[in-house]
Amino acid sequence: MIANQQTAESGEQLTNLRVSVIGTGYLGTTHAAGMAELGHHVIGLDTDAGKVAQLSAGHVPFFEPGLQDLLGRGLASGRLRFTTSYPDVAANADIHFLCVGTPQQAGSDSADLRYVDAAMQSLAAELTEPCLVVGKSTVPAGTATRLAQALRQRAPAGEGVDLAWNPEFLREGYAVKDTLRPDRLVFGVDTDTAEKQLRAVYNDVIDGGCPVIVTDLATAELVKVAANSFLATKISFINAMAEICEVTGADVATLAEALGHDDRIGPRFLKAGLGFGGGCLPKDIRAFMARAEELGVVQAVSFLREVDAINLRRRARMIDLSVEVLGGRVDGKRIGVWGAAFKPDSDDIRDSPALDVASALQTRGADVGVYDPEALTNARKKYPQLDYCSSALDAARDTDLILHLTEWEEFRIIEPATLDGITRAKHILDGRNALNPDKWRAAGWTYRALGRP
Ligand code: UDX
């Protein structure tokens, strides 16, 4: 039963719902703090007691702009707390959001559903009262229907337990905005009650004009993978054009600008460079192909194989270009790398193109120093063999080549003159097409970028 709720039809403020959020990674922490901001009473659950202690103390264990404040406000309001106990969330919440990770399985392209299954089992065993479980994790097609059956079979409340799917589309770096002011809400539901409950949860967001798409479970879970596949395809499309530009002398940045003015195409996600990384796009397209194969429709998404290949070729191209600029050999050369996160405004290094390139060059014998404003702690853990620097200037010291691989604002505003007398040579490769070529060339630098003359 939902506490303190007025009906969706009444049009009155629907706050004070009792909500739980299972899994407190990037998605879950932001969702939990966002739900508290919307006025609900929220319990965040994680099986990692250390994480629960950190969050309870108001500390976000990763970098996400604005989230620390949101968490602090939630805790101070008394509407947000964290626990490791499933009986606690089952007893004190009526709507349970499932936000655990679905990483790529080791040794396969498929999604690893062990965290989803474990969370569902632990939660189901405690559900003695009717309630709604809402999946937000990115899962292979067909998972929601399977989970709905398993949940009802295992939960003591049986048929009283409803399952809905409400995919998230949040981008790291904009997670708070994407949670509080999403560009759409998708509700995959089996019952009217589930739809009403979800409308109540997001009442303020919907009142703010956010479009709602109500559909079945299968469509809802597919929206997420389809969206990420489209975004990955758009990036790889422009990176494929960059390959053509490299052999024809054309300029991919100007090409993208010209394409982007066509309303049907649009300028976003048309930025050529080192390509996509992170915890979502790469693993989601691979899991989609693996699932399509299981479903006997692999041809429908076989283009994603090429999307993945184009993306990885950009990393290889950056390595080749570095070798070329250094005169054919990298061994014994000092290379400074600006950027370790998979994108700016994040400390996430999952499938980071920057670190992939940095470690490949080091394997070839280069002496590689890396600096990133936020991601060094994570980078050190995964790539202990790399040398880490305390600033962009420190990473540039005595280098034969600088690689700009993650487009943090801090790097974009560097004036070439500040590097005078610091580097050994004036060579810079811009892997993100984010620096001003004229400025660097005017200062006497060899400036090269992917897809540009
Ligand atoms: C993505 C989706 O955007 C989001 O909707 C979903 O919920 C999760 O996955 P995220 O992984 O945070 O979000 O990053 P995103 O901003 O999509 O960027 C992904 C990668 O593509 C980054 O490595 C970025 O540098 C790269 N990228 C993005 C480009 O190379 N070119 C572009 O034009 C845009």
Side-chain angles (χ1 to χ4, degrees):
M1 201 178 28
I2 297 177
N4 305 323
Q5 185 197 346
Q6 283 133 335
T7 64
E9 293 94 311
S10 75
E12 288 175 61
Q13 202 70 6
L14 292 153
T15 54
N16 288 329
L17 304 185
R18 303 193 313 164
V19 166
S20 89
V21 176
I22 317 263
T24 58
Y26 286 94
L27 165 64
T29 302
T30 316
H31 190 65
M35 290 295 101
E37 184 78 2
L38 292 180
H40 305 309
H41 287 280
V42 185
I43 311 170
L45 179 145
D46 206 288
T47 50
D48 180 342
K51 222 188 244 183
V52 165
Q54 276 193 314
L55 290 167
S56 303
H59 178 68
V60 178
F62 51 86
F63 178 78
E64 182 60 46
L67 186 53
Q68 188 82 33
D69 286 351
L70 197 70
L71 175 73
R73 274 208 299 282
L75 292 170
S77 72
R79 291 192 306 271
L80 176 61
R81 66 181 176 88
F82 294 89
T83 182
T84 54
S85 160
Y86 278 98
D88 182 5
V89 295
N92 295 299
D94 310 290
I95 302 177
H96 306 281
F97 284 96
L98 182 72
C99 294
V100 296
T102 51
Q104 186 173 334
Q105 239 174 55
S108 134
D109 278 352
S110 300
D112 185 346
L113 293 179
R114 86 176 78 167
Y115 305 109
V116 170
D117 288 331
M120 278 295 195
Q121 282 197 13
S122 304
L123 178 66
E126 307 299 332
L127 297 177
T128 51
E129 296 292 326
C131 62
L132 176 65
V133 178
V134 187
K136 286 191 87 66
S137 308
T138 305
V139 292
T143 305
T145 305
R146 172 176 71 78
L147 290 177
Q149 284 162 1
L151 194 58
R152 288 186 187 120
Q153 268 165 16
R154 190 175 169 88
E159 295 299 313
V161 179
D162 224 342
L163 182 92
W165 216 262
N166 166 221
E168 55 77 25
F169 304 99
L170 62 85
R171 299 158 297 168
E172 290 178 24
Y174 301 89
V176 171
K177 186 243 149 217
D178 288 349
T179 301
L180 296 176
R181 292 189 302 283
D183 50 17
R184 81 285 215 191
L185 286 165
V186 176
F187 298 160
V189 291
D190 273 341
T191 63
D192 290 347
T193 314
E195 180 187 340
K196 271 185 195 152
Q197 285 175 297
L198 282 171
R199 284 187 183 275
V201 168
Y202 290 106
N203 185 52
D204 286 0
V205 177
I206 297 169
D207 268 2
C210 179
V212 182
I213 290 109
V214 181
T215 182
D216 50 68
L217 293 175
T219 308
E221 63 189 354
L222 196 57
V223 173
K224 178 61 190 285
V225 266
N228 275 356
S229 297
F230 188 86
L231 294 172
T233 303
K234 201 169 175 193
I235 299 169
S236 277
F237 171 82
I238 200 63
N239 281 332
M241 294 305 107
E243 291 187 10
I244 308 284
C245 288
E246 278 154 19
V247 294
T248 58
D251 184 336
V252 75
T254 311
L255 179 77
E257 188 188 347
L259 293 176
H261 282 295
D262 184 329
D263 276 352
R264 295 167 303 173
I265 298 174
R268 299 176 70 193
F269 273 71
L270 217 49
K271 194 133 190 276
L274 203 48
F276 58 82
C280 292
L281 262 46
K283 65 111 177 148
D284 284 355
I285 61 169
R286 291 174 198 150
F288 198 13
M289 286 184 276
R291 183 64 182 140
E293 188 155 10
E294 286 168 8
L295 295 169
V297 285
V298 72
Q299 275 177 334
V301 291
S302 61
F303 68 95
L304 290 175
R305 185 75 56 204
E306 198 50 44
V307 166
D308 200 8
I310 294 165
N311 193 52
L312 296 177
R313 279 208 297 274
R314 293 289 75 191
R315 302 179 190 188
R317 171 71 183 147
M318 182 48 88
I319 295 161
D320 290 348
L321 207 52
S322 304
V323 175
E324 191 187 314
V325 169
L326 289 172
R329 300 186 67 126
V330 297
D331 49 308
K333 305 281 183 169
R334 173 78 179 172
I335 299 178
V337 170
W338 288 347
F342 84 102
K343 69 173 193 181
D345 299 316
S346 169
D347 65 353
D348 194 345
I349 58 149
R350 285 177 292 173
D351 205 344
S352 163
L355 287 171
D356 211 2
V357 168
S359 77
L361 285 167
Q362 197 185 45
T363 304
R364 288 178 182 220
D367 172 22
V368 182
V370 181
Y371 169 70
D372 187 284
E374 293 293 340
L376 290 187
T377 307
N378 287 338
R380 266 197 193 96
K381 279 186 221 150
K382 186 156 180 222
Y383 296 92
Q385 74 277 20
L386 292 169
D387 178 26
Y388 292 99
C389 307
S390 58
S391 67
L393 285 194
D394 189 24
R397 202 168 305 284
D398 297 327
T399 52
D400 302 285
L401 172 66
I402 294 177
L403 301 182
H404 173 237
L405 303 184
T406 312
E407 68 277 35
W408 287 89
E409 170 78 10
E410 179 176 331
F411 303 143
R412 282 187 273 137
I413 60 172
I414 289 175
E415 287 299 328
T418 55
L419 299 175
D420 284 352
I422 289 192
T423 60
R424 211 151 41 204
K426 289 188 167 189
H427 296 315
I428 187 158
L429 296 186
D430 183 2
R432 291 294 176 183
N433 279 314
L435 304 176
N436 180 336
D438 297 338
K439 192 165 79 177
W440 286 84
R441 286 185 182 133
W445 285 71
T446 311
Y447 169 97
R448 305 258 319 253
L450 297 174
R452 304 183 84 176

